[in-house]
Amino acid sequence: MARALLVVFLGGAFCMLQRLIPMFIAHRAEIPTKIYIMLTYIPTTVFSTMVVLDIFFWERHFNLDPFLNIKIAASLISAAVAYFTKSLTWTMVIGMLSLAGLMLLAQ
């Protein structure tokens, strides 16, 4: 038990050091404009990757069939709502309701 706790503690410390050391080294460094612009795209890229993985993987398998993978149908409905209303709130509400309704119909 004590050895497991030591491994967890050392692993956590190692992960923290991997993040803190570059921060302290680059604290006063000037970031070039091109790199700064490139870094602004990281959150969008990560979020879109998470969304795509969630939509196209159904029951642990890659599935493009909208009749088997109901997340695709719900995302298409959400995309249509987003296109016509330009409202994030309506897109989320209709997307969640369509997914819930399709899941109820699939049972």
Side-chain angles (χ1 to χ4, degrees):
M1 179 72 174
R3 186 174 181 185
L5 289 174
L6 180 64
V7 169
V8 169
F9 178 74
L10 290 177
F14 180 71
C15 288
M16 289 297 293
L17 286 175
Q18 285 180 329
R19 289 163 177 78
L20 290 175
I21 290 173
M23 185 178 71
F24 286 125
I25 291 173
H27 177 64
R28 295 185 186 148
E30 288 289 324
I31 299 174
T33 306
K34 288 184 179 182
I35 292 177
Y36 185 77
I37 291 171
M38 181 188 69
L39 290 174
T40 61
Y41 292 107
I42 290 175
T44 307
T45 306
V46 170
F47 180 71
S48 60
T49 302
M50 289 169 39
V51 168
V52 166
L53 286 175
D54 188 45
I55 290 173
F56 293 116
F57 279 84
W58 181 256
E59 295 177 351
R60 294 182 159 184
H61 299 289
F62 184 72
N63 191 346
L64 289 175
D65 185 5
F67 294 108
L68 294 176
N69 185 353
I70 58 175
K71 291 180 193 176
I72 293 176
S75 64
L76 290 174
I77 294 168
S78 297
V81 170
Y83 180 77
F84 288 113
T85 65
K86 309 282 193 272
S87 169
L88 181 61
T89 304
W90 281 112
T91 302
M92 290 184 344
V93 168
I94 298 299
M96 287 187 287
L97 288 175
S98 64
L99 182 61
L102 288 169
M103 288 179 105
L104 285 173
L105 287 174
Q107 287 183 353

